[in-house]
Amino acid sequence: MVESGTHNTALTLSREHNASTSSGYAMLLVMLLALTVGGGALTLIPSAPAIALVTIVFATLIFLFVACGFYMQQPNQATAITLFGAYKGTDRNTGLRWLMPWLGRNKVSLRANNMISERLKVNDLRGNPIEIAAQVVWRVTDTAQALFDIDDYKAFVIVQIEAAVRTIGARYPYDDYEHQEVTLRGNHDQVAAELRAELIERLVTAGITVDECGFTHLAYAPEIAGAMLRRQQAQAVVAARATLVEGAVGMVEMALDLLSKKGVVELDDERRAAMVSNLMVVLCGERDTQPVVNAGTLY
C-alpha cells in the first residue's frame, strides 16, 4: 500500500537531436582577423592612443571569445551540447568545430567496444552448475540517452551483460545427449542470437546497441566436471557398442544366408544358434579371438 504524500516519478527519457554548431575554420579566420586588427592598432598608438587602445581591447576580446569556442572531433565521435544543464543537441560532424563558449560540451565515443565478461557460475535448465563467459561488441547509438538517462553507461553495460548471460545460461541445458532440445553447447548460433536480442532489449534505455556476441567459455563447473566426463564417456561407449552390435547382427545374418544359399553346410537350429553365438563373440569382442581347429567330423 502506497503511503499518502509519496510520488513515483518515472524516468524522463532523452532523445538525441542535432545541435546548432559552426565550422571552426570560418571562426578561425575571424580570430586571425581580430589578431591582425589588434596588431595594426599598435601602429596608431603614437597618433591616436585612445582609438588604438579601444581597438586593441576590442580585438583582444574577440580573439579570446572565438578561441574559447573551438573543439576538435574525430570520426565516430560525438559531442553533446548543454546550456546550464539543459540538453541542446549533439554534434556528430568531424574536424574543427566551434560553438558559443558558455555552452557545455560532453564528448562520447561512437566506436565499437569489445568486452569479455567474467566467468560466471550459473545453473543451467537442469540445475547443473556451469561456467560461462561471453564476448560482446557494443556501441552507443543515442548520446543523449547514454549521458543523461544512465548515471554511468559503461558500468551499466557490464552489469546488464552479466544479467543477460545468467538469464540465457539458465534458460537452456548445457547438453542434450539425445539431441532433442536446444542446448548451450550444441546450438551456439541460436543461443548467441537470443543473447544478443536479450542484451539489446536491456540496453535500449541507455541508447546502446549490440552488434555481435557469443560465448568465449562454456564448461561444467569443476565440482561436477569429472562426473559429467564419466557420463559422456559411458554414453559414448554405449553408442559405439550399439553400432557395433547392429553391424555384427547384419554380418551374421549375411553369413548364414550365404552358407545356406550356396549349400556349403546344412545346420540345424542348435548348430545355427552355436554359430551365431560364436560369430557374435568374434565380431563384438574387444580382443583378438584364438581359432580352434576341429579335425573331426562336423557332428
Side-chain angles (χ1 to χ4, degrees), residues 143-179:
T143 57
Q145 286 184 294
L147 289 175
F148 307 120
D149 291 357
I150 303 298
D151 184 52
D152 185 346
Y153 67 90
K154 292 184 178 180
F156 183 78
V157 169
I158 295 174
V159 173
Q160 293 303 320
I161 288 176
E162 179 178 343
V165 169
R166 289 186 181 277
T167 300
I168 298 300
R171 189 174 296 173
Y172 298 103
Y174 174 85
D175 206 351
D176 177 25
Y177 302 103
E178 297 179 356
H179 304 288

Side-chain angles (χ1 to χ4, degrees), residues 61-196:
L61 292 176
I62 292 178
F63 179 86
L64 295 176
F65 177 80
V66 174
C68 292
F70 287 111
Y71 65 96
M72 297 181 63
Q73 193 154 268
Q74 298 178 357
N76 292 317
Q77 278 189 338
T79 302
I81 311 300
T82 57
L83 176 61
F84 306 121
Y87 174 63
K88 294 300 179 181
T90 298
D91 182 19
R92 289 179 175 248
N93 297 303
T94 59
L96 184 63
R97 307 295 299 168
W98 187 89
L99 77 164
M100 296 296 181
W102 53 77
L103 293 174
R105 286 159 277 183
N106 297 304
K107 285 194 174 182
V108 181
S109 175
L110 304 178
R111 298 165 183 169
N113 295 269
N114 188 39
M115 179 179 296
I116 298 179
S117 68
E118 298 290 335
R119 292 186 180 182
L120 306 175
K121 183 176 289 187
V122 184
N123 290 333
D124 69 355
L125 183 63
R126 296 194 176 99
N128 298 319
I130 61 175
E131 289 183 346
I132 187 171
Q135 170 263 339
V136 179
V137 178
W138 62 273
R139 56 186 173 85
V140 175
T141 57
D142 192 304
T143 57
Q145 286 184 294
L147 289 175
F148 307 120
D149 291 357
I150 303 298
D151 184 52
D152 185 346
Y153 67 90
K154 292 184 178 180
F156 183 78
V157 169
I158 295 174
V159 173
Q160 293 303 320
I161 288 176
E162 179 178 343
V165 169
R166 289 186 181 277
T167 300
I168 298 300
R171 189 174 296 173
Y172 298 103
Y174 174 85
D175 206 351
D176 177 25
Y177 302 103
E178 297 179 356
H179 304 288
Q180 295 180 354
E181 295 182 273
V182 176
T183 62
L184 298 173
R185 189 178 70 88
N187 302 87
H188 181 271
D189 293 339
Q190 180 177 345
V191 176
E194 189 163 344
L195 175 61
R196 179 173 179 267

Side-chain angles (χ1 to χ4, degrees), residues 13-32:
L13 298 179
S14 304
R15 285 293 181 268
E16 179 182 322
H17 59 270
N18 293 329
S20 178
T21 59
S22 304
S23 172
Y25 301 104
M27 300 307 296
L28 183 61
L29 294 177
V30 174
M31 188 178 68
L32 294 176

